[in-house]
Amino acid sequence: SQKIEQNSEALNIQEGKTATLTCNYTNYSPAYLQWYRQDPGRGPVFLLLIRENEKEKRKERLKVTFDTTLKQSLFHITASQPADSATYLCAPGVGSARQLTFGSGTQLTVLP
Amino acid sequence: DGGITQSPKYLFRKEGQNVTLSCEQNLNHDAMYWYRQDPGQGLRLIYYSQIVNDFQKGDIAEGYSVSREKKESFPLTVTSAQKNPTAFYLCASSIGLAGMGGEQFFGPGTRLTVL
């Protein structure tokens, strides 16, 4: 069955450092992968989408990579700030699918 | 402002009662979704709808029901058949279904507690 794994439930880093979050998937051949941010008690907010033919995507301090050979996506936040503290969810998508499946998320805490 | 709204934000229910969660969007999106989120877990899909008067079961539809009589509205009823209904419920919408890759817009959520 399809499985999505996001690295350790919680990640703590120091302000100014680069945070790297991992999303691994098995029994999947996603055509794209989405990343969302979720703050406590709120709905997720879309951040980035990367397609299978794209190796890397950037948006301001965010960078996403997509390695279909390793079946992995990495999500980087450079020059991290305490305001980046949140849970980040990955969601690989299959082109023929009618629904999106979400990983359980990684809770990031940026320490001042 | 365009967006997606859910009401109420907090809901308390006695065991054995049905309860309906509201979800409205003015984004003119065709697709709408209902997810359930439990502490420390990801989102699990309950139901989704691609078009008015059509909806499909997701991964955990048992004990839930939906309707899609208007494009803007996709209410979720949590029935007494749902054994463990206490959770955070999220509604979302997108221009098209997942296969198209479009982002999903989420509402603020409803936290349901069964007393």
Side-chain angles (χ1 to χ4, degrees):
Chain A
S1 62
Q2 297 173 338
K3 190 175 180 181
I4 305 166
E5 288 186 350
Q6 294 194 239
N7 66 325
S8 62
E9 289 185 6
L11 179 65
N12 296 331
I13 65 165
Q14 208 66 40
E15 182 177 6
K17 301 292 186 183
T18 296
T20 298
L21 284 63
T22 305
C23 177
N24 295 302
Y25 54 89
T26 54
N27 299 323
Y28 245 119
S29 292
Y32 62 88
L33 197 144
Q34 298 184 0
W35 283 89
Y36 290 78
R37 168 184 172 140
Q38 185 176 23
D39 292 288
R42 294 178 176 267
V45 174
F46 173 81
L47 296 174
L48 282 168
L49 177 147
I50 185 166
R51 298 192 181 275
E52 60 181 335
N53 60 348
E54 299 174 311
K55 295 297 184 186
E56 180 179 300
K57 201 86 167 275
R58 291 177 184 261
K59 179 183 177 182
E60 298 174 348
R61 294 184 295 110
L62 308 180
K63 185 179 84 171
V64 173
T65 62
F66 193 6
D67 190 324
T68 56
T69 301
L70 293 179
K71 294 186 179 294
Q72 179 182 82
S73 174
L74 298 178
F75 178 82
H76 306 272
I77 305 175
T78 59
S80 59
Q81 305 166 0
D84 294 326
S85 299
T87 296
Y88 292 85
L89 307 170
C90 73
V94 178
S96 61
R98 303 181 71 188
Q99 63 186 70
L100 200 61
T101 303
F102 288 81
S104 57
T106 297
Q107 183 179 339
L108 173 68
T109 301
V110 181
L111 304 168
Chain B
D1 288 338
I4 182 165
T5 58
Q6 291 184 243
S7 62
K9 187 170 179 63
Y10 298 96
L11 189 57
F12 298 89
R13 187 195 93 177
K14 291 183 179 179
E15 279 192 28
Q17 289 181 338
N18 292 354
V19 63
T20 297
L21 282 59
S22 169
C23 177
E24 302 279 332
Q25 56 98 359
N26 61 3
L27 300 167
N28 200 33
H29 286 170
D30 287 314
M32 297 188 74
Y33 313 81
W34 273 105
Y35 294 93
R36 169 183 172 138
Q37 187 173 37
D38 294 283
Q41 297 192 29
L43 308 179
R44 291 187 290 169
L45 184 67
I46 304 172
Y47 269 98
Y48 63 98
S49 169
Q50 183 181 4
I51 197 169
V52 173
N53 292 323
D54 180 70
F55 47 83
Q56 304 295 328
K57 292 181 179 180
D59 299 322
I60 54 166
E62 186 176 350
Y64 301 97
S65 65
V66 293
S67 63
R68 187 88 186 272
E69 297 177 0
K70 298 187 300 182
K71 186 175 185 178
E72 303 79 18
S73 179
F74 191 41
L76 173 74
T77 296
V78 184
T79 75
S80 56
Q82 169 51 234
K83 298 304 180 188
N84 185 22
T86 295
F88 189 47
Y89 290 88
L90 288 159
C91 180
S93 70
S94 61
I95 293 176
L97 284 179
M100 297 170 62
E103 66 181 277
Q104 293 191 10
F105 293 78
F106 285 84
T110 293
R111 190 167 298 279
L112 173 65
T113 302
V114 174
L115 304 173

